[in-house]
Amino acid sequence: MKRLKKYLASTIILSGSILTISAQAENGESIAERLRQDSLLLQAAVSGEAEINLPLFQTKYTADPSPIVVGDTLFLFTSHDASPEDIPDENEKSSAGFFMYDWLLWSTTDMVNWTEHGAVASLKDIPWRSRENGAWAIQTVERDGKYYLYAPLHGHGIAVLKADSPYGPFKDPIGKPLVWDQSNWYDIDPSVYTDDDGQAYMYWGNPHTFYARLNDDMISLKDSVVKLPHIENYQEGPWFYKRNGHYYLGYATTCCPEALGYAMSDSPTGPWESKGYIMRPTQRDRGNHPGIIDYKGHSYIFGQNYDLMHIETFVHHERRSVSAVEITYNPDGTIQEVPYWLDQKPLKQLSWLNPYQRVEAETMAWGFGLKSAKMGIENTGVVADMPESTGKKNMYVFDIDDGELIRLRGVDFGNGAKNFNIIASAKGKITVTLRLDSQKGPVMGKVNITPTGSSEDYRVFSTKVKKIAGVHDLYLCFGNTTGDVRLDWWQFKK
């Protein structure tokens, strides 16, 4: 089923099942009413009528964020909660459970406009897997120009995949679990960090915390696995790192709902002292998983929520969305607590987007309702339909309906543009209206995309635009849509 298409209406359609939500109050307010207000705020923010901290990605449901900085770019690996149409078992399409088949990659240089790179690895890349579901929380790290993706297979240990690039292709170099205690199912949520002396450590575990030292090859253990004493309120999802001489272990804390907590140590192996919350538990959320990193002089924590799903329904499903906020460290290394994702202002944009270079259609700050796929790969999210890791491939945006849009933040038009070009294929047609600063903002121009003959025949469509200078948010608003239209990339001309 296509996602709900009336999410931009002035009122939200509430499921009758909202009455099944716990009436537990938060700050004197029912959770049902709080979620309703969150959804309305989300809609207002998308249209440019409010400023809140939105989920980062909308073309797919995402969870378990794993950031890594490579040069000038922040890459974010995520797990992927399947949408109902991508679940192969008809009896499970409305289930509240986890349906996870692959891992996704996104990138940014400004923290607000993200480029999607699609699935970079899947369960198919692990031939010894025992299940067709369970692509859970990963972390990807770099060492000596190689990239290592550590992946838990629930009930079957932790795998490791290796690539020459963050885009992949990722391959299994050992053909077996890196870690697997067959007496239990604790081996999940791996986190890897290489210390200043070159020694790499892997932490993992739910509900217990484990670590092991890795050899320099990053695909074998140096010695035995160590089980740590229980860290106060530790639940799962460890994120291990070092900053300014302090060792940190971020994690999902308490349950349920899970909050984001952390512990500190003077040693990479502990003992660990809990320092409390980074983000407190709230009935507006349920599960969580931290990813923490410094980038361009700022510190960020990534986590997950159900805010995107709540645009469509308040009936619980494991369809999560990744968000991020900036965090601040105190002089003693402790982290200042931050409010819930939606209770904060949007992330600060670190640099303006250049519209005079090629901008991929799958680069966006918002694009709810749209879908994306790699060229030549009809990736539905179902394991049977997924290829093995393919490496970097061009993507396109499709499944476009009237009223949908792509929003980009902070586009620097300089002294103004004269023309707009968009590369698309079409077995139907669509009108793209360029608006500034909001969904109802000034019209900069319109371009009509008409049939090209096939969905593989991409052509350039152009229009003159009003010469408007300076920095603006850009909205590509879609209307008059018929048939299959696929957008590849766009560019303004001076």
Side-chain angles (χ1 to χ4, degrees):
M1 181 184 297
K2 174 84 172 184
R3 289 183 177 181
L4 182 67
K5 292 304 169 189
K6 295 182 179 179
Y7 75 100
L8 287 175
S10 59
T11 58
I12 187 167
I13 299 173
L14 299 181
S15 167
S17 298
I18 189 172
L19 297 177
T20 66
I21 295 179
S22 168
Q24 177 179 350
E26 184 170 286
N27 298 325
E29 185 175 57
S30 73
I31 297 307
E33 177 59 23
R34 177 69 265 184
L35 295 181
R36 177 182 176 277
Q37 291 183 16
D38 284 349
S39 290
L40 291 172
L41 272 173
L42 271 166
Q43 297 172 35
V46 172
S47 64
E49 299 170 359
E51 287 194 349
I52 60 171
N53 188 44
L54 296 166
L56 298 179
F57 319 118
Q58 307 83 41
T59 59
K60 296 177 176 66
Y61 287 111
T62 54
D64 308 317
S66 169
I68 179 174
V69 175
V70 181
D72 189 50
T73 301
L74 191 155
F75 289 93
L76 189 70
F77 291 81
T78 69
S79 56
H80 176 199
D81 292 332
S83 295
E85 63 269 25
D86 293 331
I87 298 173
D89 187 339
E90 291 293 330
N91 296 321
E92 297 284 4
K93 288 185 180 294
S94 298
S95 173
F98 294 96
F99 297 92
M100 306 169 71
Y101 312 121
D102 58 4
W103 296 283
L104 309 177
L105 178 63
W106 317 77
S107 68
T108 187
T109 56
D110 63 17
M111 285 303 296
V112 300
N113 299 302
W114 291 82
T115 300
E116 182 180 355
H117 303 290
V120 293
S122 78
L123 292 174
K124 271 200 169 181
D125 296 303
I126 306 171
W128 47 266
R129 70 188 185 278
S130 59
R131 306 168 68 201
E132 294 300 284
N133 184 11
W136 284 22
I138 63 169
Q139 184 175 356
T140 302
V141 300
E142 182 271 340
R143 181 161 185 166
D144 297 331
K146 304 294 183 182
Y147 294 84
Y148 300 88
L149 186 157
Y150 298 87
L153 301 179
H154 200 196
H156 208 148
I158 295 173
V160 58
L161 303 177
K162 183 178 180 181
D164 295 328
S165 162
Y167 303 103
F170 284 91
K171 303 297 180 185
D172 182 352
I174 60 176
K176 62 181 181 179
L178 173 62
V179 167
W180 187 19
D181 184 342
Q182 298 184 41
S183 69
N184 59 65
W185 285 36
Y186 302 155
D187 299 335
I188 67 168
D189 296 351
S191 178
V192 174
Y193 176 76
T194 302
D195 207 351
D196 299 334
D197 61 1
Q199 178 60 59
Y201 300 82
M202 183 170 73
Y203 274 76
W204 71 92
N206 171 333
H208 307 290
T209 315
F210 304 88
Y211 80 84
R213 297 194 301 170
L214 299 178
N215 287 315
D216 291 349
D217 62 11
M218 302 296 280
I219 59 174
S220 60
L221 301 188
K222 177 172 285 189
D223 39 36
S224 60
V225 172
V226 177
K227 180 182 178 181
L228 288 170
H230 182 68
I231 302 169
E232 183 181 2
N233 289 327
Y234 173 90
Q235 182 70 25
E236 62 182 0
W239 184 266
F240 178 49
Y241 68 104
K242 183 181 183 181
R243 188 181 188 275
N244 293 343
H246 301 289
Y247 293 92
Y248 293 84
L249 198 66
Y251 44 81
T253 179
T254 68
C255 188
C256 287
E258 290 179 343
L260 294 175
Y262 74 109
M264 295 177 64
S265 176
D266 294 326
S267 162
T269 59
W272 292 96
E273 181 182 355
S274 172
K275 295 296 182 180
Y277 295 120
I278 302 174
M279 183 181 292
R280 287 184 176 272
T282 169
Q283 292 295 327
R284 297 154 75 183
D285 205 348
R286 186 180 176 103
N288 227 317
H289 189 108
I292 303 171
I293 202 162
D294 286 354
Y295 179 58
K296 294 186 175 180
H298 300 261
S299 298
Y300 300 96
I301 183 166
F302 296 82
Q304 64 200 32
N305 51 65
Y306 298 84
D307 295 334
L308 193 68
M309 183 189 72
H310 289 158
I311 293 177
E312 299 180 310
T313 180
F314 296 112
V315 179
H316 182 72
H317 304 275
E318 292 301 340
R319 300 173 195 160
R320 296 161 292 177
S321 47
V322 166
S323 291
V325 295
E326 191 166 352
I327 56 174
T328 301
Y329 291 86
N330 296 312
D332 65 354
T334 56
I335 302 172
Q336 294 183 16
E337 192 176 313
V338 294
Y340 184 67
W341 315 103
L342 293 180
D343 293 342
Q344 303 194 56
K345 293 290 186 182
L347 286 171
K348 178 182 177 182
Q349 188 164 350
L350 303 184
S351 59
W352 303 132
L353 188 146
N354 179 2
Y356 301 111
Q357 64 184 10
R358 171 172 170 156
V359 180
E360 302 297 333
E362 62 275 11
T363 298
M364 60 186 74
W366 189 264
F368 182 79
L370 305 172
K371 292 186 178 181
S372 56
K374 292 185 178 183
M375 293 282 187
I377 302 173
E378 297 293 339
N379 187 342
T380 66
V382 180
V383 170
D385 298 334
M386 262 192 275
E388 295 179 350
S389 184
T390 57
K392 188 175 183 180
K393 280 186 174 291
N394 192 20
M395 294 188 72
Y396 62 90
V397 170
F398 70 109
D399 199 22
I400 307 168
D401 288 337
D402 287 356
E404 293 179 340
L405 56 85
I406 291 175
R407 178 192 180 189
L408 297 114
R409 283 180 56 189
V411 179
D412 188 357
F413 290 98
N415 294 325
K418 294 181 179 179
N419 295 283
F420 172 78
N421 297 332
I422 187 166
I423 287 74
S425 69
K427 295 173 72 175
K429 63 180 181 178
I430 191 171
T431 298
V432 182
T433 302
L434 308 175
R435 293 184 179 269
L436 298 179
D437 300 320
S438 78
Q439 189 185 4
K440 298 179 180 179
V443 175
M444 194 179 187
K446 291 185 179 182
V447 59
N448 293 313
I449 296 173
T450 55
T452 62
S454 79
S455 59
E456 305 302 321
D457 185 4
Y458 285 84
R459 299 180 187 176
V460 179
F461 296 88
S462 302
T463 186
K464 292 182 178 180
V465 296
K466 293 181 181 178
K467 193 171 184 179
I468 300 176
V471 177
H472 299 271
D473 284 2
L474 175 65
Y475 285 72
L476 280 65
C477 301
F478 305 119
N480 302 319
T481 59
T482 63
D484 182 13
V485 178
R486 303 183 178 189
L487 308 180
D488 187 359
W489 58 277
W490 57 265
Q491 184 177 24
F492 282 89
K493 297 290 186 180
K494 297 181 180 180

